[in-house]
Amino acid sequence: MNKSFTMINIVAGLGENKNIIQASKELEDIKDLSISLVESEDGLIEAFKNPEVHATLRGSLKASKIINSIKTIKADSKINRTTYINTAGDKRFTKEYEFLLAPVGIDEGKNTEEKIELAIQAANFIQYLGKKPKIAILAEGRKDDLGRSERIDKSLKSSEDLYEKLIDSFDGLENFDNDSEDISRNYSIKNYYILLEQAIEDGFNIILADDGIFGNIMFRTLVLLDKWPSYGAVTLGIDEIYIDTSRDQTVEGYKRSLELAYNLAKLKVND
């Protein structure tokens, strides 16, 4: 007797970039996955509201109308985005490593409060995946660069303030263990200042940029120039699964995003 299964329904947007069509075709051998394409932002928004759709993907449609509509629909939620990068399965990388990079929108992460909210949401997401959240805070200089300029001083002090406030915030969260010694806690937070390379070497899985401008530059450097495998931007703060993708993505890039949407939907269905 065949074991019954839930068909995972994903709806993705089809704009001028047709790579999403080929990406969808390359996943046709997954028996419990159904991918539908819509050619308008309104069509994708309707799919987002449809409870029979397990996940939606921006694909190659324009972003602003979609995300603004989602924020209106989910007006009671605080919505943020974070890019999900995972080297597993990529032959160019000798070590498997996954992490969230945020903020990545140039108008995001403008102050300490926004970054605290984003860090908590990202930590909840990593914990939901069954992993230990490890948050790396970044700044615009090394710790001993204090005094080199007012801008650097402001960034360094801001990162240290964020570190202290994050420690206090996590102390009040029930889903994180705050009674154990640091080495055995189910999360960790460290200020790496400007040392992004050290945070990556240490395997921290949440990279918190100084602001959305620097996060966007890091995204473009790692993903667009250095070809680190991005799976798209996960939308945090809502129960629905919405993956934001670039209109200029490759077939392989869209395929990765569809796979992420599928895996998150499977996790949610089986939760």
Side-chain angles (χ1 to χ4, degrees):
M1 179 180 294
N2 292 327
K3 185 177 179 180
S4 62
F5 61 85
T6 299
M7 180 63 72
I8 301 298
N9 298 309
I10 295 177
V11 176
L14 172 61
E16 294 181 4
N17 184 352
K18 308 303 180 184
N19 285 339
I20 188 69
I21 298 176
Q22 182 59 35
S24 301
K25 289 181 178 179
E26 293 189 10
L27 297 177
E28 288 179 348
D29 59 339
I30 301 178
K31 302 301 182 184
D32 63 344
L33 173 60
S34 173
I35 301 173
S36 302
L37 301 178
V38 293
E39 298 184 14
S40 71
E41 289 80 8
D42 288 337
L44 194 65
I45 294 164
E46 288 303 311
F48 176 84
K49 295 189 292 184
N50 186 346
E52 295 183 0
V53 174
H54 296 95
T56 51
L57 189 86
R58 174 187 164 196
S60 53
L61 294 176
K62 296 179 180 179
S64 58
K65 183 176 181 178
I66 298 170
I67 193 63
N68 287 337
S69 295
I70 290 175
K71 288 181 177 179
T72 299
I73 295 166
K74 307 295 293 185
D76 294 334
S77 302
K78 295 181 178 179
I79 295 176
N80 288 292
R81 296 176 303 155
T82 176
T83 296
Y84 175 72
I85 297 172
N86 193 336
T87 65
D90 193 312
K91 296 179 180 179
R92 297 170 303 139
F93 294 85
T94 58
K95 183 172 67 172
E96 292 187 8
Y97 175 44
E98 66 176 341
F99 65 97
L100 300 177
L101 173 63
V104 288
I106 60 173
D107 59 344
E108 298 172 352
K110 298 183 293 296
N111 53 54
T112 299
E113 289 69 28
E114 287 187 9
K115 284 184 279 190
I116 290 173
E117 177 183 272
L118 181 51
I120 292 173
Q121 289 177 337
N124 286 334
F125 179 81
I126 290 292
Q127 189 180 67
Y128 182 67
L129 297 181
K131 308 293 178 62
K132 174 183 175 178
K134 301 174 69 178
I135 303 170
I137 299 168
L138 297 181
E140 295 180 28
R142 293 173 178 266
K143 185 176 183 179
D144 57 6
D145 286 331
L146 187 67
R148 295 184 64 172
S149 75
E150 289 184 7
R151 172 173 171 169
I152 292 172
D153 288 357
K154 181 179 178 181
S155 176
L156 295 177
K157 291 175 182 177
S158 176
S159 71
E160 291 168 353
D161 180 55
L162 175 60
Y163 173 80
E164 295 297 334
K165 289 183 177 179
L166 270 182
I167 293 294
D168 289 341
S169 296
F170 273 77
D171 279 343
L173 299 176
E174 294 182 357
N175 55 318
F176 292 102
D177 170 22
N178 297 290
D179 296 324
S180 305
E181 297 295 328
D182 286 347
I183 195 171
S184 61
R185 285 185 175 181
N186 63 354
Y187 71 94
S188 58
I189 303 171
K190 183 174 180 179
N191 189 349
Y192 278 88
Y193 297 93
I194 203 171
L195 302 179
L196 168 64
E197 71 282 7
Q198 190 62 55
I200 291 177
E201 180 64 26
D202 291 344
F204 272 60
N205 52 24
I206 298 172
I207 308 294
L208 206 57
D210 193 41
D211 60 25
I213 296 173
F214 276 87
N216 194 278
I217 292 172
M218 282 193 286
F219 166 79
R220 292 178 181 279
T221 303
L222 290 173
V223 174
L224 301 183
L225 287 179
D226 208 27
K227 307 303 180 184
W228 282 61
S230 169
Y231 284 68
V234 179
T235 305
L236 305 175
I238 57 175
D239 292 331
E240 293 86 351
I241 299 168
Y242 173 69
I243 308 297
D244 197 3
T245 54
S246 170
R247 283 182 286 172
D248 301 321
Q249 190 56 273
T250 63
V251 171
E252 189 60 33
Y254 282 134
K255 183 180 175 183
R256 286 195 298 264
S257 296
L258 287 167
E259 289 173 334
L260 175 60
Y262 169 74
N263 289 329
L264 291 178
K266 289 277 287 186
L267 191 63
K268 184 176 180 181
V269 165
N270 296 324
D271 193 9

